[in-house]
Amino acid sequence: MTPRRVLPVVLALAAALAVLVLWPKKASSPEDEIRALVAECVRAANAHAVGDIAEHLAEDFKGPQGARKSEVKQMLAYQLLRQGEVAVVFNPTLEVDVPADSQGHLVGHFVFGRVPAKSVNELPQGSVSAIYRIEANLARRDGQWIFVDAKYE
């Protein structure tokens, strides 16, 4: 190709890239933001990064039996770090409700597996160390969703 033929192609590609990069992005819904927060917490659990999960708990967080944020952090550390037993965490079900702009509610199941796997269906029989049903309330504070209370079964 001659330079005269290449230039229009390069300009067209540059224009397409500029449109793609600069085009306004659709704002996430509060439900999508909460789902993304849960996904981030699951990734942190898989990395055994308890502190990264605790960052999403309100300072006035109320957990099961009145557990405070520091106590929940200790429970998470025990569950995720004990003898390397938990290799993977999955969240196969998650229901999210946003009754108000700054309030959210979720119910989800979280599966803790003893061996690495890419999905909950790939966990070998007998390799599930725990399954929790977690119900939590969230609040939007300073533009971010955080957990304000939770209970589990």
Side-chain angles (χ1 to χ4, degrees):
M1 274 189 161
T2 65
R4 287 184 185 214
R5 289 188 177 170
V6 172
L7 184 59
V9 172
V10 170
L11 290 176
L13 287 173
L17 181 61
V19 168
L20 182 65
V21 170
L22 299 175
W23 195 265
K25 308 287 187 268
K26 179 182 172 191
S28 311
S29 71
E31 180 181 337
D32 290 339
E33 293 170 355
I34 292 171
R35 288 181 183 283
L37 172 65
V38 171
E40 185 178 328
C41 288
V42 168
R43 279 191 298 278
N46 284 322
H48 298 173
V50 175
D52 292 350
I53 299 170
E55 287 179 8
H56 301 294
L57 302 178
E59 290 303 319
D60 58 346
F61 179 84
K62 300 273 190 277
Q65 291 82 37
R68 295 183 311 269
K69 178 178 179 175
S70 61
E71 295 166 324
V72 170
K73 189 175 176 181
Q74 290 172 347
M75 288 188 297
L76 283 168
Y78 173 76
Q79 183 67 34
L80 295 173
L81 303 175
R82 65 177 175 177
Q83 302 168 350
E85 187 174 309
V86 175
V88 66
V89 178
F90 295 106
N91 172 227
T93 63
L94 184 64
E95 298 171 25
V96 177
D97 181 38
V98 183
D101 288 343
S102 61
Q103 295 177 333
H105 179 81
L106 67 81
V107 177
H109 289 89
F110 296 83
V111 179
F112 290 69
R114 291 186 185 102
V115 297
K118 293 185 181 195
S119 75
V120 72
N121 295 329
E122 291 182 13
L123 285 170
Q125 188 173 6
S127 67
V128 172
S129 63
I131 300 174
Y132 294 104
R133 178 188 178 275
I134 297 177
E135 185 171 348
N137 289 303
L138 298 94
R140 187 190 297 270
R141 295 184 183 167
D142 299 323
Q144 300 293 319
W145 287 103
I146 57 170
F147 293 94
V148 293
D149 64 58
K151 59 184 177 181
Y152 68 89
E153 307 172 342

